């Protein structure tokens, strides 16, 4: 057997792994638990897993992603570079996951922020609750079984068609009841018409009853620690979804999951690990025991929930895009590997279709759309743009594959909304930047989604691109130039002003990506409206969900045609409604049940079979649109600009 | 470490075990899996675990149970004899478990034998069923999830408030559905208002759908193999409850179970092993795979069900006699260790109290008592005598600790109703036996319960005992004699006519045991009637349940006052209603639910707190009763006898 080589990673990690000769650097990094950016999941096509060989030898791989200088410095793609000796690998800033996701107070849903309709349905009645009871000790006059004694005591505080208890708890029950002198706390879980007695604890532990509400995003995982006694959110924690290393979007992850049997498990362990990390962080911070948490309520897109539960996601990707299950009963959290109370339950919110997940259903509930008298629209902009239109009488939804451009992927200088990302941007003219802001006010590393929206709008305003998105070299001969691979690009910020010592640029390909992404979302909304014989004028309110929305410059989003041209007062940013829904469901059985009814009521509209979608998409692949009359305010502004 | 000794058992077993010096022979036998009779569970007080040391040395223990000759032959109590060298131990016939329990066709409940009332409620709708469905393959027009597709197909044939599926099956489902080209058989289980999709099998397996109905008696375990498609009983198998080696009655077993932590498990493994043996026997005989059986429906007394499920039985024994749980949901059979389909379910019928078990509740349903217009009484004679009185409006029950005398235990020559047991007996006069019959027409080994009833009645008739049960030496100076321990006894059959080469006798102590047993049952019935302001005249019908009843000479039972003196047409033997109930419940969801409602409706009457019980008991400890006027037909016969 060949000797293994030692691989050390710098600068953030001191972990060293030993691997056989020929191992890919990315595989070694995964083994060491070192994060290396990789959007394509190791196919060698995204060019994002740039690392530097500081010592030793690694060979192989494409050179097209690097300059000559970079290659001389030791740059190599981690997915392609093979380890040929003991090596020291540096993971440069642009390849690292810098800190935690941007996460601000405003993003955290609070009950007070809920729509009035959702608030009305709310009554504090958690899915898993702790009820302290003092049982009358058995006597000859009252010698029902221990279980019946407990059920009798619980039937007052808990309204249920019947109780159920698993064998393990039933076995332990008589001992606990007697040891605790008949004063116990029952942990009960909502199971449709039935109530499961999940666990029994000696004495009064009802004061220590917490839950984790989780939004499992393709990119970001966010958890809230919630006190089930009063519904207050104690703490918040977020991190990037570690599955990112296997692919930036759900499609790549499904492909990875189905390549080998172990891969599915690897993805499952990645997200389970993320959740456990966040749970541990929150539980530790608030000095709880993990047994104080007996409930996890999770929302997320269909693929994320499949991967979490270990359900095969394979068929979501292929026509006709069907998942294994969209409505799932609660499962033992431990069965999934989640580290809360060993008997605690995991409730997943329901999905509607392969590409309309529980995150969207949560949004339909939380925004009050499902109970609205007027017709409302909900838009969730992410890798997929999900569009919902409805009111209390009907709900239809569709999903447009927008690609991850607005999530900062698939653009050369794109990055997630994290430290160093340019999130807002203004040009003075075609040659000069007026100002920009970065997350954390750090030295710029790249551009995140909201930064791109601003950049495109500004480039359009100053004439750097035309309405088809085509770069106009004549607008700034100094900054519009051929890039490394010959493709035209615009120099946004020169290397001297960046943290990576690389130019921040936007290429013609990047612009085309962004154009297609916004076109797909706009076309989806239009096709859905057409199918309902409606226009944007019939929509009382457009609600934009997702972290993206909160930081979006609406004027710019409208200027490039990402959002329709409606008066600002009919537009609302609703934040992370997925997390809000997970939290409300956890706190209120009735809301949880209502969310399932909403999923049942929601009709999925398959865009790929809609004959008009392609036409609408092509029409929308203009800034703001082929039919500029749909954007009267943009028309007016453009006219002003031309007059200047 | 001291050297271990080899212990070999003869004649039936060739198994040899090695044990440390000083090990009790009984412990070695248990380890070797050799059955040795022991009623007291090893306390050295029952004198039943007689074995013979053929070679080697074993020492210790009481001599009072043996004759001088026996001791010279090597007889020793297995629970007390300590192994001092390599030994060969013979287990003599009287100590062995001879063959299978007596089990005849007539004892097997058939639907046609059910009471009309129970039959009316019956509709073939098994608790676990297999439903073959052909699903429409997913298409863009119909791309619901795999689970919803399956549920939609099942919602036609299965009427349910909702479906549930465990995580393991959900994970496997998409693969099975596609591999089977959307033609699958769903195995579903009844869970209150919900239906659990227990398993999914490729293709049409609905023709192979069987269940095991089990009656778990303290002494005997009986299983029926039932075809769930038509409710036909295919096969029957029975064996003695292997727990017998730890004690003849439930009290002794509970004591054993609570002595050490491992003991509870030992008892659980014994009964689980018995059931698995019977299941294996039946499945093999009818050439089924164990996966063809996905349902076990079990009835039994409260203690037996606790021990089967591994629930602590400890508190059943002590005032106020409460069990852990009487109403239990279905459990995964595999969780209990039962070897049917790995995903199959075990349904236990409900109990009412620590000493009124699911066997009795099954009887209340099967006999139609619970739906009867007239008031009926159900008597189940076993170690405990359970009495139920009721009609469609009320049901009360009580349990009298009768002791195991009628089960052939606790009497010197007593034995179970198995090969060689005298089951019927007639005397010509005090000195001469007229005739007797044995089970299997074998050479007599001892007396079983029905034999004792006949023997006592006959002894009473010929004047060998008086109405207090006292042996009258003067009636037969040759056969009434002082026994080994000085106690008076009656020689039933001399050693030359027995298989064991030992006299078959009945001692004064035996008679007192039987007197107390019948007194307890009669007193219980009387106290319960008094509490209801009723007499036996108000009872439209007395139904006697249990295998015992089927073989009972009613005239003799009545003559000794075990049964009340009512006209024979108002008396009915209903057989093994426990097994019948388990079977009906398995075949009919509605009946299963009704049995639970019956358990709820049944009021337990605690005899130990009834102030009149002791008086009634003392009065009933006469043959037939202190107040002989309660037994007019016995009075008449006695008068005739005296006149002869």
């Amino acid at each position: 057997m060949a000797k293994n080589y030692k691989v050390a990673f710098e600068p953030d990690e001191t972990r060293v792994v030993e691997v056989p000769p020929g191992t890919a650097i990315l595989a070694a990094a995964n083994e060491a638990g070192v994060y290396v950016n990789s959007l394509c999941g190791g196919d060698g096509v995204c060019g994002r897993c740039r690392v530097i060989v500081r010592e030793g030898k690694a060979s192989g791989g494409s050179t097209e992603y690097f300059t000559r200088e970079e290659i001389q410095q030791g740059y190599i793609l981690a997915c392609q570079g093979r380890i040929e000796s003991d090596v020291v690998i540096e993971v440069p800033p642009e390849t690292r996951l810098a800190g935690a996701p941007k996460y601000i107070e405003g993003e955290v849903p609070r009950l007070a922020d809920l729509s009035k309709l959702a608030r009305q349905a709310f009554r504090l009645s958690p899915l898993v609750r702790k009820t302290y009871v003092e049982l009358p000790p058995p006597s000859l006059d009252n010698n029902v079984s221990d279980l019946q004694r407990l059920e009798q005591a619980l039937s007052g505080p808990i309204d249920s068609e019947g109780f159920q208890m698993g064998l393990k708890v039933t076995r332990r029950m008589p001992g606990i009841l007697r040891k605790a002198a008949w004063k116990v706390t029952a942990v009960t879980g909502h199971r449709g018409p039935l109530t499961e007695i999940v666990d029994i604890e000696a004495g009064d532990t009802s004061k220590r009853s917490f839950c984790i509400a989780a939004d499992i995003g393709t990119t970001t995982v966010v958890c809230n620690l919630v006190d089930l006694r009063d519904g207050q959110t104690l703490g918040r924690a977020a991190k990037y979804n570690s599955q990112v290393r296997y692919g930036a979007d759900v499609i790549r992850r499904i492909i990875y999951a189905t390549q080998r049997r172990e891969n599915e498990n690897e993805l499952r362990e990645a997200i389970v690990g993320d959740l456990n990390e966040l749970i541990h962080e929150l539980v530790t911070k608030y000095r709880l025991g993990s047994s104080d948490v007996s409930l996890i309520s999770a929302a997320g897109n269909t693929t994320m929930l499949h991967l979490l539960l270990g359900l095969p996601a394979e068929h979501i990707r292929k026509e006709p895009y069907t998942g294994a299950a969209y409505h799932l009963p609660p499962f033992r959290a431990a069965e999934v590997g989640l580290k809360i109370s060993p008997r605690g339950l995991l409730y997943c919110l329901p999905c509607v279709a392969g590409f309309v997940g529980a995150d969207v259903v949560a949004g339909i509930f939380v925004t009050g759309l499902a109970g609205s008298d007027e017709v409302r629209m909900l838009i969730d902009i992410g890798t997929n743009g999900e569009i919902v239109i409805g009111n209390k009488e009907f709900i239809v939804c569709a999903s447009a594959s927008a690609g991850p451009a607005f999530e900062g992927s698939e653009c050369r200088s794109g990055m997630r909304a994290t430290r160093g990302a340019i999130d807002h941007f203004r040009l003075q003219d075609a040659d000069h930047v007026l100002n920009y802001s970065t997350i954390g006010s750090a030295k710029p590393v790249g551009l995140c989604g909201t930064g791109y929206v601003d950049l495109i709008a500004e480039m359009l305003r100053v004439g750097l691109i035309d309405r088809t998105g085509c770069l106009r070299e004549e607008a700034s001969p100094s900054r519009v130039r051929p890039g490394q691979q010959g493709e035209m690009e615009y120099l946004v910020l020169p290397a001297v002003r960046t943290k990576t010592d690389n130019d921040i640029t936007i290429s013609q390909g990047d612009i085309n990506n962004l154009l297609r992404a916004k076109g797909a979302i706009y076309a989806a909304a239009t096709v859905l409206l057409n199918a309902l014989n409606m226009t944007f004028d019939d929509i009382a309110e457009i609600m934009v969900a997702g972290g993206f929305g909160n930081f979006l410059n609406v004027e710019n989003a409208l200027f490039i045609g990402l959002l329709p041209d409606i008066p600002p007062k009919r537009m609302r940013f609703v934040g992370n409604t997925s997390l809000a829904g997970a939290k409300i469901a956890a706190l209120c059985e009735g809301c949880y049940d209502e969310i399932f009814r909403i999923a049942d009521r929601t009709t999925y509209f398959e865009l790929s079979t809609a004959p008009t979608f392609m036409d609408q998409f092509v029409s929308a692949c203009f800034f703001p649109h082929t039919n500029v009359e749909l954007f009267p305010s943009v028309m007016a502004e453009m006219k002003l600009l031309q007059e200047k």
Side-chain angles (χ1 to χ4, degrees), chain A:
Chain A
M1 213 180 86
K3 186 179 165 287
N4 281 355
Y5 292 131
K6 282 199 184 103
V7 186
F9 289 92
E10 290 188 337
D12 292 348
E13 307 285 342
T14 53
R15 265 176 276 186
V16 176
V17 286
E18 292 200 15
V19 297
T23 301
I25 297 169
L26 188 61
N30 283 349
E31 199 181 321
V34 173
Y35 181 83
V36 169
N37 243 336
S38 165
L39 301 180
C40 65
D43 288 345
V45 298
C46 74
R48 300 307 286 268
C49 57
R50 300 154 57 93
V51 295
I52 306 162
V53 184
R54 282 285 174 231
E55 289 173 28
K57 194 177 162 207
S59 66
S62 167
T63 54
E64 61 173 316
Y65 296 98
F66 304 106
T67 61
R68 195 180 162 71
E69 291 70 35
E70 284 173 343
I71 291 170
Q72 284 169 351
Q73 283 166 33
Y75 269 93
I76 194 166
L77 290 184
C79 68
Q80 299 189 328
R82 307 280 156 189
I83 291 158
E84 308 282 352
S85 73
D86 290 352
V87 286
V88 175
I89 302 291
E90 179 185 333
V91 184
E94 69 270 24
T95 311
R96 277 179 245 153
L97 198 62
K102 183 171 180 183
Y103 193 80
I104 61 161
E105 278 300 304
E107 228 192 315
V108 180
R110 297 189 169 281
L111 291 186
D113 300 333
L114 288 182
S115 79
K116 210 174 72 190
L117 285 160
R119 271 209 310 279
Q120 277 168 359
F122 186 83
R123 192 177 67 83
L124 188 66
S125 54
L127 290 174
V128 172
R129 62 178 98 171
K130 289 192 172 184
T131 309
Y132 173 66
V133 283
E134 299 190 355
L135 312 181
S139 67
L140 285 174
D141 294 332
N142 173 3
N143 56 4
V144 298
S145 71
D146 295 348
L147 178 58
Q148 199 181 341
R149 188 172 307 278
L150 180 63
E151 288 178 353
Q152 282 172 352
L154 290 176
S155 64
I158 297 171
D159 182 32
S160 172
E161 264 189 44
F163 292 94
Q164 281 210 342
M165 198 192 262
L167 189 52
K168 286 196 188 76
V169 183
T170 315
R171 284 174 177 165
R172 287 196 291 115
M173 171 187 55
I176 296 171
L177 289 177
R178 285 168 180 81
K179 208 182 271 177
W182 306 96
K183 293 171 183 161
V184 292
T185 303
V187 187
T188 56
H190 176 68
R191 279 199 183 267
L194 302 176
T195 299
E196 182 189 344
I197 302 175
V198 170
D199 209 351
I200 304 167
E201 294 170 351
D204 186 356
T205 64
S206 63
K207 287 195 190 68
R208 300 180 74 78
S209 183
F210 301 89
C211 100
I212 293 286
D215 168 42
I216 305 168
T218 309
T219 305
T220 310
V221 187
V222 189
C223 286
N224 275 8
L225 176 68
V226 180
D227 191 329
L228 291 172
R229 283 179 311 158
D230 53 15
Q232 289 305 303
T233 299
L234 295 181
R236 298 137 190 111
K239 77 186 290 286
Y240 286 112
N241 188 327
S242 301
Q243 292 177 339
V244 165
R245 72 174 66 147
Y246 307 105
D249 55 50
V250 297
I251 299 296
R252 287 190 192 282
R253 289 190 212 165
I254 295 174
I255 291 172
Y256 183 78
T258 45
Q259 271 164 355
R260 290 185 316 162
R261 210 185 177 78
E262 311 88 89
N263 290 10
E264 187 179 299
N265 215 30
E266 227 174 293
L267 285 168
R268 197 176 59 74
E269 282 170 7
I271 183 60
V272 167
D274 287 341
L275 286 166
N276 282 337
E277 213 176 284
L278 295 175
I279 294 166
H280 181 76
E281 179 185 331
L282 287 167
V283 160
T284 308
K285 184 167 174 193
Y286 292 90
R287 292 161 192 258
L288 305 178
S290 63
S291 73
D292 297 329
V293 180
S294 4
L295 165 61
I296 299 179
S297 170
N301 65 51
T302 311
T303 301
M304 287 306 106
L305 294 183
H306 273 63
L307 293 176
L308 170 67
L309 296 172
L311 302 177
E314 164 178 14
H315 307 288
I316 294 177
R317 185 173 75 86
K318 299 181 204 147
E319 195 181 305
Y321 320 114
T322 50
Y326 302 152
H327 288 214
L328 290 158
F331 297 119
R332 199 78 53 213
E335 195 176 357
V336 178
L338 294 172
K339 290 180 183 159
I340 57 167
S341 169
R343 305 270 317 155
L345 296 177
L346 164 68
Y347 289 75
C348 291
L349 297 193
C351 302
V352 169
F355 291 102
V356 178
D359 47 354
V360 177
V361 180
I364 301 174
F365 173 74
V366 168
T367 58
L369 181 146
S372 162
D373 289 319
E374 294 164 305
V375 178
R376 287 177 149 76
M377 179 183 280
L378 177 66
I379 302 181
D380 193 335
I381 301 170
T383 309
N384 285 281
E386 292 102 348
I387 317 285
V388 184
I389 302 176
N391 62 11
K392 64 182 177 188
E393 274 153 19
F394 75 92
I395 308 174
V396 295
C397 68
S399 170
S401 177
F406 285 119
E407 296 201 320
S409 299
E410 292 194 352
C411 293
R412 189 84 207 275
S413 297
M415 66 182 289
R416 295 188 195 85
T418 184
R419 192 176 166 79
I422 296 175
D423 58 349
H424 288 296
F425 192 87
R426 278 189 70 189
L427 285 173
Q428 188 174 333
D429 54 43
D431 292 318
H432 299 95
V433 174
L434 179 63
N435 59 34
Y436 60 87
S437 67
T438 62
I439 295 175
S441 301
K443 209 169 176 189
V445 177
L447 285 144
C448 68
T450 56
Y452 276 115
V453 170
D454 287 1
L455 177 59
I456 297 274
E458 289 287 272
M459 287 171 78
L460 202 53
R461 285 191 183 102
V462 300
L464 278 164
I465 51 174
D466 62 20
R467 285 186 51 226
T468 67
C470 195
L471 273 169
R472 296 178 61 241
E473 199 176 346
E474 65 273 29
S476 174
S478 64
R479 296 177 81 116
V480 179
R481 64 191 192 188
Q484 272 178 53
Q485 277 108 55
E487 190 189 35
M488 291 305 285
E489 64 181 21
Y490 173 71
L491 174 66
V492 181
L493 283 183
V496 292
R497 293 173 65 181
T498 71
K499 166 129 186 165
T500 59
D501 297 327
N502 283 310
D503 293 343
I504 293 177
T505 60
I506 183 167
S507 71
Q508 185 62 57
D510 294 345
I511 297 166
N512 296 346
N513 268 342
L514 291 157
L515 183 63
R516 280 195 297 271
K518 81 98 194 164
I521 293 166
Y522 190 87
T526 308
V527 171
L528 209 51
L529 280 170
N530 289 352
L532 294 163
N533 259 324
M534 286 184 176
T535 70
F536 281 109
D537 291 337
D538 297 311
I539 303 297
E541 189 177 41
I542 293 179
M543 299 173 291
V544 182
F548 180 68
N550 276 338
F551 308 101
L552 195 63
N553 180 318
V554 188
E555 206 176 296
N556 286 341
L558 198 153
F559 194 76
I560 67 168
L562 171 61
L563 294 175
D565 193 357
I566 64 166
K569 63 170 183 177
R570 281 167 54 206
M571 184 96 65
R572 185 157 59 103
F573 295 99
V574 290
N576 188 340
T577 48
S578 174
L579 182 59
K583 183 171 145 183
I584 304 306
L587 290 169
C588 167
E589 288 177 353
C591 298
Y592 173 80
D593 291 343
E594 175 61 19
I595 291 170
F596 276 78
R597 283 191 294 271
I598 287 172
D600 274 334
R601 279 179 57 200
T602 302
T603 306
Y604 176 66
F605 187 91
E606 179 59 58
L607 286 177
S608 66
T609 55
T612 58
F613 181 74
M614 200 36 78
D615 287 348
Q616 289 293 346
F617 175 63
V618 170
S619 299
C621 281
F622 261 69
F623 293 121
H625 196 274
T626 310
N627 180 4
V628 80
E629 284 175 12
L630 291 169
F631 288 80
S633 74
V634 177
M635 268 172 78
E637 189 184 340
M638 282 191 164
K639 210 168 159 196
L640 271 176
L641 286 170
Q642 279 162 6
E643 285 166 6
K644 265 206 278 192

